Coordinates of all heavy atoms in Angstrom, one line a residue:
Q1 N 95.4 45.1 49.3 CA 94.8 46.1 50.1 C 93.6 45.5 50.9 O 93.5 45.7 52.1 CB 94.1 47.1 49.1 CG 93.4 48.2 49.8 CD 92.9 49.3 48.9 OE1 93.4 49.5 47.8 NE2 91.8 50.0 49.3
L2 N 92.8 44.5 50.4 CA 91.8 43.9 51.2 C 92.3 43.1 52.3 O 91.7 43.1 53.3 CB 90.8 43.2 50.3 CG 89.9 44.0 49.4 CD1 89.1 43.0 48.5 CD2 89.0 44.9 50.3
D3 N 93.4 42.5 52.1 CA 94.1 41.7 53.1 C 94.5 42.5 54.3 O 94.2 42.2 55.4 CB 95.2 40.8 52.5 CG 95.7 39.9 53.5 OD1 94.9 39.2 54.1 OD2 97.0 39.8 53.7
L4 N 95.2 43.7 53.9 CA 95.6 44.6 55.1 C 94.4 45.1 55.8 O 94.4 45.1 57.0 CB 96.3 45.7 54.4 CG 96.8 46.8 55.4 CD1 97.9 46.3 56.3 CD2 97.3 48.0 54.7
L5 N 93.3 45.5 55.1 CA 92.2 46.0 55.8 C 91.4 45.0 56.5 O 90.8 45.3 57.6 CB 91.3 46.7 54.6 CG 91.9 48.0 54.1 CD1 91.1 48.5 53.0 CD2 92.0 49.0 55.2
S6 N 91.3 43.7 56.0 CA 90.7 42.7 56.7 C 91.3 42.4 58.0 O 90.7 42.1 59.0 CB 90.6 41.4 55.8 OG 89.8 41.6 54.7
Q7 N 92.7 42.3 58.0 CA 93.3 42.1 59.2 C 93.2 43.2 60.2 O 93.1 43.0 61.4 CB 94.9 42.0 58.9 CG 95.3 40.7 58.2 CD 96.7 40.7 57.7 OE1 97.6 41.5 58.1 NE2 97.0 39.6 57.0
A8 N 93.2 44.4 59.7 CA 93.0 45.6 60.6 C 91.6 45.7 61.2 O 91.4 46.2 62.4 CB 93.2 46.9 59.8
F9 N 90.6 45.1 60.6 CA 89.3 45.2 61.1 C 89.2 44.5 62.5 O 88.5 45.0 63.3 CB 88.3 44.4 60.2 CG 86.9 44.5 60.6 CD1 86.1 45.6 60.3 CD2 86.3 43.4 61.3 CE1 84.8 45.7 60.8 CE2 84.9 43.6 61.8 CZ 84.2 44.7 61.4
G10 N 89.9 43.4 62.7 CA 89.8 42.7 63.9 C 91.1 43.0 64.9 O 91.4 42.2 65.7
S11 N 91.8 44.1 64.6 CA 93.0 44.3 65.3 C 93.2 45.7 65.7 O 92.6 46.6 65.2 CB 94.2 43.9 64.2 OG 95.4 44.3 64.7
W12 N 94.1 45.9 66.6 CA 94.4 47.2 67.2 C 95.4 48.0 66.2 O 95.7 49.1 66.3 CB 95.0 47.2 68.5 CG 94.1 46.9 69.6 CD1 93.7 45.7 70.1 CD2 93.2 47.8 70.3 NE1 92.7 45.8 71.1 CE2 92.5 47.1 71.2 CE3 93.1 49.2 70.2 CZ2 91.5 47.8 72.1 CZ3 92.3 49.8 71.1 CH2 91.4 49.1 72.0
H13 N 96.0 47.1 65.3 CA 97.1 47.6 64.4 C 96.7 47.9 63.0 O 96.0 47.0 62.4 CB 98.3 46.6 64.4 CG 99.4 47.0 63.5 ND1 100.3 48.0 63.9 CD2 99.7 46.6 62.3 CE1 101.1 48.3 62.9 NE2 100.9 47.3 61.9
L14 N 97.0 49.0 62.4 CA 96.9 49.3 61.0 C 98.1 50.1 60.6 O 98.4 51.1 61.2 CB 95.6 50.1 60.8 CG 95.4 50.6 59.4 CD1 95.3 49.5 58.4 CD2 94.2 51.5 59.2
D15 N 98.8 49.6 59.6 CA 99.9 50.4 59.0 C 99.4 51.4 58.0 O 99.2 51.0 56.8 CB 100.9 49.4 58.4 CG 102.1 50.1 57.9 OD1 102.2 51.2 57.7 OD2 103.1 49.3 57.7
V16 N 99.1 52.6 58.4 CA 98.6 53.6 57.6 C 99.5 54.0 56.4 O 99.0 54.4 55.3 CB 97.9 54.8 58.3 CG1 96.8 54.4 59.1 CG2 99.0 55.4 59.1
L17 N 100.7 53.9 56.7 CA 101.7 54.2 55.6 C 101.6 53.3 54.5 O 101.6 53.5 53.3 CB 103.1 54.3 56.2 CG 103.4 55.4 57.2 CD1 104.8 55.3 57.8 CD2 103.2 56.7 56.6
E18 N 101.6 52.0 54.8 CA 101.3 50.9 53.8 C 100.0 51.1 53.1 O 99.9 50.9 51.9 CB 101.5 49.6 54.4 CG 101.4 48.4 53.4 CD 101.5 47.0 54.0 OE1 101.9 46.9 55.2 OE2 101.3 46.1 53.2
L19 N 99.0 51.3 53.9 CA 97.7 51.5 53.3 C 97.7 52.6 52.3 O 97.1 52.5 51.3 CB 96.6 51.7 54.4 CG 95.2 51.9 53.9 CD1 94.7 50.8 53.1 CD2 94.3 52.2 55.0
A20 N 98.3 53.8 52.6 CA 98.4 54.9 51.7 C 99.1 54.5 50.5 O 98.6 54.9 49.3 CB 99.0 56.1 52.4
E21 N 100.1 53.8 50.6 CA 100.9 53.4 49.5 C 100.1 52.4 48.5 O 100.1 52.7 47.3 CB 102.1 52.6 49.9 CG 103.1 52.3 48.8 CD 104.4 51.7 49.3 OE1 105.0 52.2 50.2 OE2 104.8 50.7 48.7
I22 N 99.4 51.5 49.1 CA 98.7 50.5 48.2 C 97.3 50.9 47.8 O 96.8 50.2 46.9 CB 98.6 49.1 49.0 CG1 97.8 49.1 50.2 CG2 100.0 48.5 49.2 CD1 97.6 47.8 50.9
S23 N 96.8 52.1 48.4 CA 95.6 52.6 48.0 C 95.6 53.8 47.1 O 94.6 54.5 47.0 CB 94.7 52.8 49.3 OG 95.3 53.9 49.9
D24 N 96.7 54.1 46.5 CA 96.9 55.3 45.7 C 96.6 56.5 46.5 O 96.0 57.4 46.1 CB 96.1 55.2 44.4 CG 96.4 56.2 43.4 OD1 97.7 56.6 43.4 OD2 95.5 56.5 42.7
N25 N 97.1 56.5 47.7 CA 97.0 57.6 48.7 C 95.5 58.0 49.0 O 95.2 59.0 49.1 CB 97.6 58.9 48.2 CG 98.0 59.9 49.3 OD1 98.2 59.5 50.4 ND2 98.2 61.1 49.0
K26 N 94.8 57.0 49.1 CA 93.4 57.0 49.5 C 93.1 56.1 50.9 O 92.2 55.3 50.9 CB 92.4 56.5 48.5 CG 92.5 57.5 47.2 CD 91.6 57.0 46.2 CE 91.7 58.0 45.0 NZ 92.8 57.6 44.1
P27 N 93.9 56.3 51.9 CA 93.7 55.5 53.1 C 92.4 55.6 53.8 O 91.8 54.7 54.3 CB 94.9 55.8 54.0 CG 95.2 57.2 53.6 CD 95.0 57.3 52.0
L28 N 91.9 57.0 53.8 CA 90.7 57.2 54.5 C 89.5 56.6 53.9 O 88.7 55.9 54.5 CB 90.6 58.7 54.7 CG 89.3 59.2 55.5 CD1 89.3 58.6 56.9 CD2 89.2 60.7 55.5
S29 N 89.4 56.8 52.7 CA 88.2 56.3 51.9 C 88.2 54.7 51.9 O 87.2 54.1 51.9 CB 88.0 56.9 50.6 OG 89.2 56.7 49.7
S30 N 89.4 54.2 51.7 CA 89.6 52.7 51.6 C 89.2 52.1 52.9 O 88.4 51.1 52.9 CB 91.0 52.3 51.3 OG 91.4 52.8 50.0
L31 N 89.6 52.7 54.1 CA 89.3 52.1 55.4 C 87.7 52.4 55.6 O 87.1 51.4 56.1 CB 90.1 52.8 56.4 CG 89.8 52.4 57.9 CD1 90.1 50.9 58.1 CD2 90.7 53.2 58.9
F32 N 87.3 53.5 55.3 CA 85.9 53.8 55.6 C 84.9 52.9 54.9 O 84.1 52.3 55.4 CB 85.6 55.3 55.1 CG 84.2 55.8 55.3 CD1 83.9 56.5 56.5 CD2 83.3 55.5 54.5 CE1 82.6 57.0 56.7 CE2 81.9 55.9 54.6 CZ 81.6 56.6 55.8
D33 N 85.3 52.6 53.6 CA 84.5 51.6 52.8 C 84.4 50.3 53.4 O 83.3 49.7 53.7 CB 85.0 51.5 51.4 CG 84.1 50.8 50.5 OD1 82.9 50.8 50.7 OD2 84.7 50.2 49.5
V34 N 85.6 49.8 53.9 CA 85.7 48.5 54.5 C 84.9 48.4 55.8 O 84.1 47.5 56.1 CB 87.0 47.9 54.6 CG1 87.1 46.7 55.6 CG2 87.6 47.6 53.3
L35 N 85.2 49.4 56.7 CA 84.5 49.5 58.0 C 83.0 49.5 57.9 O 82.3 48.8 58.5 CB 85.0 50.6 58.8 CG 86.5 50.5 59.3 CD1 86.8 51.7 60.1 CD2 86.6 49.2 60.1
F36 N 82.5 50.4 57.0 CA 81.0 50.6 56.9 C 80.3 49.4 56.3 O 79.3 49.0 56.7 CB 80.7 51.8 56.1 CG 80.5 53.0 57.0 CD1 81.4 53.5 57.9 CD2 79.4 53.8 56.9 CE1 81.3 54.6 58.7 CE2 79.1 54.9 57.8 CZ 80.2 55.3 58.7
R37 N 81.1 48.7 55.4 CA 80.5 47.5 54.8 C 80.5 46.3 55.9 O 79.5 45.6 56.1 CB 81.2 47.0 53.6 CG 80.9 47.8 52.4 CD 81.8 47.3 51.2 NE 81.6 48.2 50.0 CZ 81.0 47.9 49.0 NH1 80.3 46.7 49.0 NH2 80.9 48.7 48.0
E38 N 81.7 46.1 56.5 CA 81.8 45.1 57.5 C 80.9 45.2 58.7 O 80.4 44.3 59.2 CB 83.3 44.9 57.8 CG 84.2 44.4 56.8 CD 83.9 43.0 56.4 OE1 83.6 42.1 57.3 OE2 84.0 42.7 55.1
L39 N 80.7 46.4 59.1 CA 79.9 46.6 60.3 C 78.4 46.6 59.9 O 77.5 46.7 60.8 CB 80.3 48.0 60.9 CG 81.7 48.0 61.6 CD1 82.1 49.5 62.0 CD2 81.7 47.1 62.8
G40 N 78.1 46.6 58.6 CA 76.7 46.5 58.2 C 76.0 47.8 58.1 O 74.8 47.9 57.9
F41 N 76.8 48.9 58.2 CA 76.1 50.3 58.2 C 75.4 50.5 56.9 O 74.4 51.2 56.9 CB 77.1 51.4 58.5 CG 77.6 51.3 60.0 CD1 78.7 52.0 60.3 CD2 77.0 50.6 61.0 CE1 79.3 52.0 61.6 CE2 77.5 50.6 62.3 CZ 78.6 51.3 62.6
V42 N 76.0 50.1 55.8 CA 75.5 50.4 54.5 C 74.1 49.8 54.3 O 73.1 50.5 53.9 CB 76.4 50.0 53.4 CG1 75.9 50.1 51.9 CG2 77.8 50.7 53.5
D43 N 74.0 48.6 54.7 CA 72.7 47.8 54.6 C 71.7 48.3 55.6 O 70.5 48.6 55.4 CB 72.9 46.3 54.6 CG 73.7 45.9 53.5 OD1 73.5 46.4 52.3 OD2 74.3 44.8 53.6
T44 N 72.1 48.3 56.9 CA 71.3 48.7 58.1 C 70.6 50.1 57.9 O 69.4 50.2 58.1 CB 72.1 48.6 59.4 OG1 72.6 47.3 59.6 CG2 71.2 49.0 60.5
F45 N 71.4 51.0 57.4 CA 70.9 52.3 57.3 C 70.4 52.7 55.9 O 70.1 53.8 55.5 CB 71.9 53.3 57.9 CG 72.1 53.1 59.3 CD1 73.3 52.6 59.7 CD2 71.2 53.4 60.3 CE1 73.7 52.4 61.1 CE2 71.5 53.2 61.6 CZ 72.7 52.7 62.0
A46 N 70.5 51.7 54.9 CA 70.1 51.9 53.6 C 70.8 53.1 53.0 O 70.2 54.0 52.3 CB 68.6 52.0 53.5
L47 N 72.1 53.0 53.1 CA 73.0 54.1 52.6 C 73.2 54.0 51.1 O 73.4 52.9 50.7 CB 74.3 54.2 53.4 CG 74.2 54.4 54.9 CD1 75.6 54.3 55.5 CD2 73.7 55.8 55.2
D48 N 73.1 55.1 50.4 CA 73.6 55.1 49.1 C 75.1 55.1 49.0 O 75.8 56.0 49.3 CB 73.1 56.4 48.4 CG 73.4 56.5 46.9 OD1 74.4 55.8 46.5 OD2 72.7 57.3 46.2
H49 N 75.6 53.9 48.6 CA 77.1 53.6 48.8 C 77.9 54.6 47.9 O 78.9 55.1 48.3 CB 77.4 52.2 48.3 CG 78.8 51.9 48.5 ND1 79.7 51.8 47.4 CD2 79.6 51.6 49.7 CE1 80.9 51.4 47.9 NE2 80.8 51.4 49.2
K50 N 77.4 54.8 46.6 CA 78.1 55.7 45.7 C 78.2 57.2 46.3 O 79.2 57.8 46.3 CB 77.5 55.7 44.4 CG 77.8 54.4 43.6 CD 77.2 54.5 42.2 CE 77.5 53.2 41.5 NZ 76.9 53.2 40.2
A51 N 77.0 57.7 46.8 CA 77.0 59.0 47.4 C 77.8 59.1 48.6 O 78.6 60.0 48.8 CB 75.5 59.4 47.7
M52 N 77.8 58.0 49.4 CA 78.6 58.1 50.6 C 80.1 58.1 50.3 O 80.8 58.9 50.9 CB 78.3 56.8 51.5 CG 79.0 56.6 52.7 SD 78.7 55.0 53.5 CE 79.6 53.9 52.4
M53 N 80.5 57.3 49.3 CA 81.9 57.3 49.0 C 82.4 58.6 48.4 O 83.5 59.1 48.6 CB 82.2 56.1 48.0 CG 82.1 54.8 48.8 SD 83.0 54.7 50.4 CE 84.8 54.8 49.8
R54 N 81.4 59.2 47.6 CA 81.8 60.6 47.0 C 82.0 61.6 48.1 O 83.0 62.3 48.1 CB 80.7 61.1 46.1 CG 80.8 60.6 44.7 CD 79.8 61.3 43.8 NE 78.5 61.4 44.1 CZ 77.5 60.5 43.9 NH1 77.8 59.4 43.2 NH2 76.3 60.8 44.4
F55 N 81.1 61.5 49.2 CA 81.3 62.4 50.3 C 82.6 62.1 51.0 O 83.4 63.1 51.3 CB 80.1 62.2 51.3 CG 80.1 62.9 52.5 CD1 80.0 64.3 52.6 CD2 80.5 62.3 53.7 CE1 80.0 65.0 53.7 CE2 80.4 63.0 54.9 CZ 80.3 64.4 54.9
V56 N 83.0 60.9 51.3 CA 84.2 60.6 52.0 C 85.4 61.0 51.2 O 86.4 61.5 51.7 CB 84.2 59.0 52.4 CG1 85.6 58.7 53.1 CG2 83.1 58.8 53.4
R57 N 85.3 60.7 50.0 CA 86.5 61.1 49.0 C 86.7 62.6 49.0 O 87.8 63.1 48.9 CB 86.3 60.5 47.7 CG 86.6 59.0 47.7 CD 86.6 58.4 46.3 NE 86.8 57.0 46.4 CZ 85.8 56.1 45.9 NH1 84.7 56.6 45.4 NH2 86.0 54.8 46.1
S58 N 85.6 63.3 49.0 CA 85.7 64.8 49.0 C 86.3 65.3 50.4 O 87.1 66.2 50.3 CB 84.4 65.5 48.8 OG 83.5 65.3 49.9
I59 N 86.0 64.6 51.5 CA 86.6 64.9 52.7 C 88.2 64.6 52.6 O 89.0 65.5 53.0 CB 86.0 64.2 53.9 CG1 84.6 64.7 54.1 CG2 86.9 64.3 55.1 CD1 83.8 63.9 55.1
E60 N 88.4 63.4 52.1 CA 89.8 63.0 52.0 C 90.6 64.0 51.1 O 91.8 64.2 51.4 CB 89.8 61.6 51.4 CG 91.2 60.9 51.4 CD 91.1 59.5 51.1 OE1 90.3 59.1 50.1 OE2 91.7 58.7 51.8
C61 N 90.1 64.4 50.1 CA 90.8 65.3 49.2 C 91.0 66.7 49.8 O 91.9 67.4 49.3 CB 89.9 65.6 47.8 SG 90.0 64.2 46.8
G62 N 90.3 67.0 50.9 CA 90.5 68.3 51.7 C 91.8 68.2 52.5 O 92.2 69.3 52.9
Y63 N 92.3 67.0 52.8 CA 93.6 66.9 53.5 C 94.7 67.2 52.5 O 94.9 66.6 51.5 CB 93.8 65.5 54.2 CG 92.9 65.3 55.3 CD1 91.6 64.7 55.1 CD2 93.3 65.7 56.6 CE1 90.9 64.4 56.2 CE2 92.5 65.5 57.6 CZ 91.2 64.8 57.5 OH 90.4 64.7 58.6
H64 N 95.6 68.1 53.0 CA 96.8 68.4 52.1 C 98.0 67.6 52.4 O 98.4 67.5 53.6 CB 97.0 69.9 52.3 CG 95.9 70.8 51.9 ND1 95.6 71.0 50.5 CD2 95.0 71.5 52.6 CE1 94.5 71.8 50.5 NE2 94.1 72.1 51.8
D65 N 98.6 67.0 51.5 CA 99.7 66.2 51.6 C 101.0 67.0 52.2 O 101.9 66.4 52.8 CB 100.2 65.4 50.3 CG 99.1 64.4 49.9 OD1 98.4 63.9 50.7 OD2 99.1 64.2 48.7
S66 N 101.0 68.2 52.0 CA 102.0 69.1 52.5 C 102.0 69.2 54.1 O 103.0 69.5 54.7 CB 102.0 70.5 52.0 OG 100.8 71.2 52.4
N67 N 100.9 68.9 54.7 CA 100.8 68.9 56.1 C 101.3 67.5 56.6 O 100.7 66.4 56.3 CB 99.4 69.1 56.6 CG 99.3 69.3 58.0 OD1 100.0 68.7 58.8 ND2 98.3 70.1 58.5
T68 N 102.4 67.5 57.4 CA 103.0 66.3 57.7 C 102.4 65.5 58.8 O 102.7 64.4 59.1 CB 104.5 66.6 58.1 OG1 104.5 67.5 59.3 CG2 105.3 67.1 56.9
Y69 N 101.4 66.2 59.5 CA 100.7 65.4 60.6 C 99.2 65.2 60.3 O 98.7 64.1 60.3 CB 101.0 66.0 62.0 CG 100.3 65.2 63.1 CD1 100.9 64.0 63.4 CD2 99.2 65.7 63.7 CE1 100.3 63.3 64.4 CE2 98.6 64.8 64.7 CZ 99.2 63.7 65.0 OH 98.7 62.9 66.0
H70 N 98.5 66.4 60.2 CA 97.1 66.2 60.0 C 96.7 66.1 58.5 O 96.4 67.0 57.9 CB 96.4 67.5 60.6 CG 96.2 67.4 62.0 ND1 97.0 68.4 62.8 CD2 95.6 66.8 63.0 CE1 96.8 68.2 64.1 NE2 95.9 67.1 64.2
N71 N 96.9 64.9 58.1 CA 96.8 64.6 56.8 C 95.8 63.3 56.6 O 95.3 62.9 57.6 CB 98.1 64.2 56.0 CG 98.8 63.2 56.8 OD1 98.3 62.2 57.3 ND2 100.3 63.4 56.9
R72 N 95.6 62.8 55.4 CA 94.6 61.7 55.3 C 95.1 60.5 56.0 O 94.2 59.6 56.3 CB 94.4 61.5 53.7 CG 95.6 61.2 53.0 CD 95.3 61.2 51.4 NE 95.1 62.5 51.0 CZ 94.7 62.9 49.9 NH1 94.3 62.0 48.9 NH2 94.6 64.2 49.4
M73 N 96.3 60.3 56.2 CA 96.8 59.0 56.9 C 96.4 59.1 58.3 O 96.1 58.2 58.9 CB 98.3 58.9 56.6 CG 98.7 58.4 55.2 SD 100.5 58.2 55.0 CE 101.1 59.8 55.0
H74 N 96.7 60.3 58.9 CA 96.2 60.6 60.2 C 94.7 60.4 60.5 O 94.3 59.8 61.4 CB 96.7 62.0 60.7 CG 96.4 62.3 62.1 ND1 95.3 63.2 62.4 CD2 96.7 61.8 63.3 CE1 95.1 63.2 63.7 NE2 96.0 62.5 64.3
A75 N 93.9 60.8 59.5 CA 92.5 60.7 59.6 C 92.1 59.2 59.5 O 91.3 58.7 60.3 CB 91.8 61.5 58.4
A76 N 92.8 58.4 58.7 CA 92.5 57.0 58.7 C 93.0 56.3 60.0 O 92.3 55.4 60.5 CB 93.3 56.3 57.5
S77 N 94.1 56.7 60.6 CA 94.6 56.2 61.8 C 93.6 56.5 62.9 O 93.3 55.6 63.7 CB 95.9 56.9 62.1 OG 96.4 56.4 63.3
V78 N 93.1 57.7 63.0 CA 92.1 58.1 64.0 C 90.8 57.1 63.9 O 90.2 56.7 64.8 CB 91.8 59.6 64.0 CG1 90.6 59.9 64.8 CG2 93.1 60.4 64.4
M79 N 90.3 57.1 62.6 CA 89.2 56.3 62.3 C 89.4 54.8 62.8 O 88.5 54.2 63.5 CB 88.8 56.3 60.9 CG 87.6 55.4 60.6 SD 87.2 55.4 58.8 CE 86.5 57.0 58.6
H80 N 90.5 54.3 62.5 CA 90.8 52.9 62.9 C 90.9 52.7 64.4 O 90.4 51.8 65.1 CB 92.1 52.4 62.3 CG 92.3 50.9 62.7 ND1 93.3 50.6 63.6 CD2 91.9 49.8 62.2 CE1 93.3 49.4 63.8 NE2 92.5 48.8 62.9
S81 N 91.5 53.7 65.0 CA 91.6 53.8 66.5 C 90.3 53.8 67.2 O 90.0 53.1 68.1 CB 92.5 54.9 67.0 OG 93.8 54.8 66.6
M82 N 89.3 54.6 66.6 CA 88.0 54.7 67.2 C 87.2 53.3 67.0 O 86.6 52.9 67.8 CB 87.2 55.9 66.6 CG 87.8 57.2 66.8 SD 88.1 57.7 68.5 CE 87.3 56.9 69.6
H83 N 87.4 52.8 65.8 CA 86.9 51.5 65.5 C 87.4 50.4 66.6 O 86.6 49.6 67.1 CB 87.1 51.0 64.0 CG 86.9 49.6 63.9 ND1 85.7 49.0 63.9 CD2 87.8 48.5 63.7 CE1 85.8 47.7 63.7 NE2 87.0 47.4 63.6
A84 N 88.6 50.4 66.7 CA 89.3 49.5 67.7 C 88.8 49.7 69.1 O 88.4 48.8 69.8 CB 90.8 49.5 67.6
L85 N 88.7 50.9 69.5 CA 88.3 51.2 70.9 C 86.8 50.8 71.1 O 86.5 50.3 72.1 CB 88.3 52.8 71.2 CG 89.7 53.3 71.5 CD1 89.7 54.8 71.5 CD2 90.2 52.8 72.9
F86 N 85.9 51.1 70.1 CA 84.5 50.7 70.3 C 84.4 49.2 70.2 O 83.6 48.6 71.0 CB 83.7 51.4 69.3 CG 83.2 52.8 69.7 CD1 84.1 53.9 69.7 CD2 82.0 53.0 70.2 CE1 83.7 55.1 70.1 CE2 81.6 54.2 70.7 CZ 82.5 55.2 70.7
G87 N 85.0 48.6 69.2 CA 84.8 47.2 69.0 C 85.6 46.3 69.8 O 85.0 45.3 70.4
L88 N 86.9 46.5 69.8 CA 87.8 45.7 70.6 C 88.0 46.0 72.0 O 88.3 45.2 72.9 CB 89.2 45.5 69.9 CG 89.1 45.2 68.4 CD1 90.5 45.3 67.8 CD2 88.7 43.7 68.3
G89 N 87.8 47.3 72.3 CA 88.0 47.8 73.7 C 86.8 47.8 74.5 O 86.8 48.1 75.6
G90 N 85.7 47.4 73.9 CA 84.4 47.1 74.7 C 83.6 48.3 74.9 O 82.6 48.2 75.6
I91 N 83.9 49.4 74.3 CA 83.1 50.6 74.5 C 81.7 50.4 73.9 O 80.7 50.7 74.5 CB 83.8 51.9 74.0 CG1 85.0 52.2 74.8 CG2 82.8 53.1 73.9 CD1 85.8 53.4 74.3
A92 N 81.6 49.8 72.8 CA 80.4 49.6 72.1 C 79.3 48.7 73.0 O 78.2 49.0 73.1 CB 80.5 49.0 70.7
S93 N 79.9 47.7 73.5 CA 79.0 46.8 74.4 C 78.6 47.5 75.6 O 77.6 47.3 76.2 CB 79.8 45.5 74.6 OG 81.0 45.7 75.3
A94 N 79.5 48.4 76.2 CA 79.2 49.1 77.4 C 78.1 50.1 77.1 O 77.4 50.5 78.2 CB 80.5 49.8 78.0
L95 N 77.9 50.5 76.0 CA 76.9 51.6 75.6 C 75.6 50.9 75.2 O 74.6 51.7 75.0 CB 77.4 52.5 74.5 CG 78.6 53.3 74.8 CD1 79.0 54.1 73.6 CD2 78.4 54.3 76.0
E96 N 75.5 49.7 75.1 CA 74.3 49.0 74.7 C 73.2 49.1 75.8 O 73.7 49.0 77.0 CB 74.5 47.5 74.4 CG 75.3 47.3 73.1 CD 75.6 45.9 72.8 OE1 75.2 45.0 73.7 OE2 76.1 45.5 71.8
P97 N 72.0 49.3 75.5 CA 70.9 49.5 76.5 C 70.7 48.2 77.3 O 71.0 47.2 76.9 CB 69.6 49.8 75.7 CG 70.1 49.6 74.2 CD 71.5 49.4 74.2

C-alpha cells in the first residue's frame, strides 16, 4: 500500500481501484494520511493525527458502496487529482506571494 501511495505522491496517476482493494476499502483515508504527512501538514499545523484520521474515516464511511460513481474511490481520486494539480501542475507555486 505504501509503495502505491508513494508512487502516486509524485505522479499524475493513482489506481484507486487497486488502492481500495489493498486498503480494505479505505482509499480516501489511506491517501489522506500519506498526503498530509508527506506535505508536512500534520507537523506544520500541529494537527492531532488520531483526531484527524477519525474525522476523515467518518467522512469515508459516509460514502455508500452502492453508489457506483460518487463513492470513496471517487473521493480519493478527486483528492489525488487536486494534489497533482497543485503540486505537479504548478498551481501551488503560482499562488505563492
Side-chain angles (χ1 to χ4, degrees):
Q1 177 179 336
L2 286 176
D3 189 45
L4 175 70
L5 291 170
S6 294
Q7 290 174 5
F9 183 80
S11 170
W12 287 91
H13 178 73
L14 171 63
D15 185 341
V16 291
L17 296 174
E18 181 180 355
L19 179 58
E21 185 176 314
I22 64 176
S23 67
D24 195 28
N25 201 24
K26 296 180 180 82
L28 180 61
S29 58
S30 298
L31 178 62
F32 183 94
D33 189 29
V34 168
L35 290 180
F36 267 55
R37 285 178 187 257
E38 290 293 321
L39 293 168
F41 293 163
V42 174
D43 293 331
T44 300
F45 299 108
L47 299 173
D48 179 336
H49 184 257
K50 287 182 182 180
M52 178 184 73
M53 291 310 297
R54 277 194 307 272
F55 174 71
V56 173
R57 286 187 185 115
S58 70
I59 292 171
E60 188 168 45
C61 288
Y63 285 98
H64 301 284
D65 292 333
S66 60
N67 189 327
T68 57
Y69 184 72
H70 286 111
N71 53 39
R72 59 188 74 193
M73 288 180 288
H74 178 252
S77 179
V78 170
M79 178 182 285
H80 181 261
S81 294
M82 298 307 336
H83 163 69
L85 281 170
F86 275 82
L88 303 173
I91 292 176
S93 61
L95 296 175
E96 290 178 357

